Amino acid sequence: MKYEMKISLPIYKIAYAVFFVVILSLVRGVTDSYEIGIALEAPMAVLAAAFCADTYTQEITSKRSEIQRLCPMKKTVYSIYKRILIQVIFLMADAVIGYGLFILFQNPRTADSGQIGAGSEGCRFFVYIAAVAVTLGFWGILSNLISCLFRNMWMGICGCLILWLMTNSNVGDRLFGVWNLFSYTFRDVENGSDFGWICGKIVCIGIGMAAAAVLPVIIAERG
């Protein structure tokens, strides 16, 4: 596990991920705490795509994939799954730090101070954590899958960016509604009891599971 962490979390990745949320919390203004999730979800999706794109392609560029071909495919795929999990867990911690920085730097109004919507501030935070966990996992595995398919990390990032632009928009919201990948961002914040946006997260989970299932085939075919 320590070996996988060393490969998955080099210092430069940790640095730019933390720097990313610090800068975002300083430049993205929010008035109410419910806006923090809106401010963070879409940018964190881009960060996850960039962060996880080279999870396996670094094995190709460093020629380690030739050595991995000597190992059972099951072991290679299991190693990639572990690296993605490690990266997503780190990004989750980064998302929590980002939430705290928004509270610290901008001191937004909270649910307990008569803000619109229902539910306590703690409930809103845990809903944010659940939504962003699905978002990070989805964009991380998808970016890695596309990178493996084209044997190029930039193709993984660009492919995800195109999908991101399509779904993180008013057009995407109107077209997909609650089934949008960013349904949490476009949810009705004035109705805290409306959890229709979960449909979009179910789509993310379904596509993510399909991507994880296809990944061994892609690695076997593309090396």
Side-chain angles (χ1 to χ4, degrees):
M1 183 62 75
K2 290 179 65 176
Y3 173 75
E4 304 294 358
M5 290 182 66
K6 184 177 180 180
I7 293 177
S8 303
L9 300 176
I11 296 299
Y12 77 90
K13 275 192 172 184
I14 295 174
Y16 79 66
V18 174
F19 184 73
F20 179 86
V21 295
V22 170
I23 295 300
L24 185 63
S25 64
L26 288 171
V27 302
R28 176 68 159 83
V30 298
T31 302
D32 299 302
S33 62
Y34 70 80
E35 297 178 67
I36 298 176
I38 297 172
L40 277 169
E41 186 190 23
M44 289 302 297
V46 174
L47 179 62
F51 203 87
C52 300
D54 68 344
T55 302
Y56 184 70
T57 55
Q58 60 181 303
E59 301 294 315
I60 298 173
T61 56
S62 65
K63 306 299 183 182
R64 290 197 299 264
S65 61
E66 297 177 5
I67 298 175
Q68 288 212 5
R69 280 180 173 273
L70 302 176
C71 302
M73 179 55 62
K74 186 176 181 179
K75 181 178 179 181
T76 298
V77 173
Y78 181 60
S79 175
I80 300 304
Y81 286 156
K82 283 199 296 184
R83 293 179 192 179
I84 293 174
L85 179 61
I86 289 169
Q87 291 175 113
V88 170
I89 291 174
F90 169 78
L91 290 173
M92 277 296 303
D94 200 39
V96 172
I97 291 172
Y99 195 98
L101 290 175
F102 269 97
I103 297 291
L104 177 64
F105 293 149
Q106 304 203 29
N107 192 29
R109 291 184 299 175
T110 65
D112 303 320
S113 63
Q115 184 193 94
I116 63 173
S120 68
E121 195 60 35
C123 289
R124 288 186 177 180
F125 174 72
F126 285 114
V127 167
Y128 159 77
I129 291 299
V132 81
V134 174
T135 296
L136 293 173
F138 169 77
W139 291 97
I141 189 71
L142 182 65
S143 175
N144 180 68
L145 178 69
I146 298 174
S147 296
C148 290
L149 181 62
F150 292 97
R151 296 172 60 88
N152 187 305
M153 64 171 285
W154 294 109
M155 290 300 293
I157 295 173
C158 290
C160 284
L161 184 58
I162 292 171
L163 180 62
W164 184 91
L165 291 171
M166 291 172 57
T167 53
N168 184 40
S169 65
N170 290 329
V171 173
D173 181 36
R174 290 195 299 269
L175 185 61
F176 301 110
V178 295
W179 300 99
N180 189 9
L181 300 178
F182 290 105
S183 56
Y184 173 75
T185 294
F186 293 102
R187 73 193 188 282
D188 181 6
V189 295
E190 296 188 10
N191 184 4
S193 61
D194 180 14
F195 285 93
W197 57 267
I198 291 178
C199 295
K201 295 307 162 191
I202 292 175
V203 172
C204 288
I205 292 172
I207 297 175
M209 291 176 63
V214 170
L215 185 60
V217 179
I218 299 298
I219 294 177
E221 291 293 329
R222 300 294 290 163

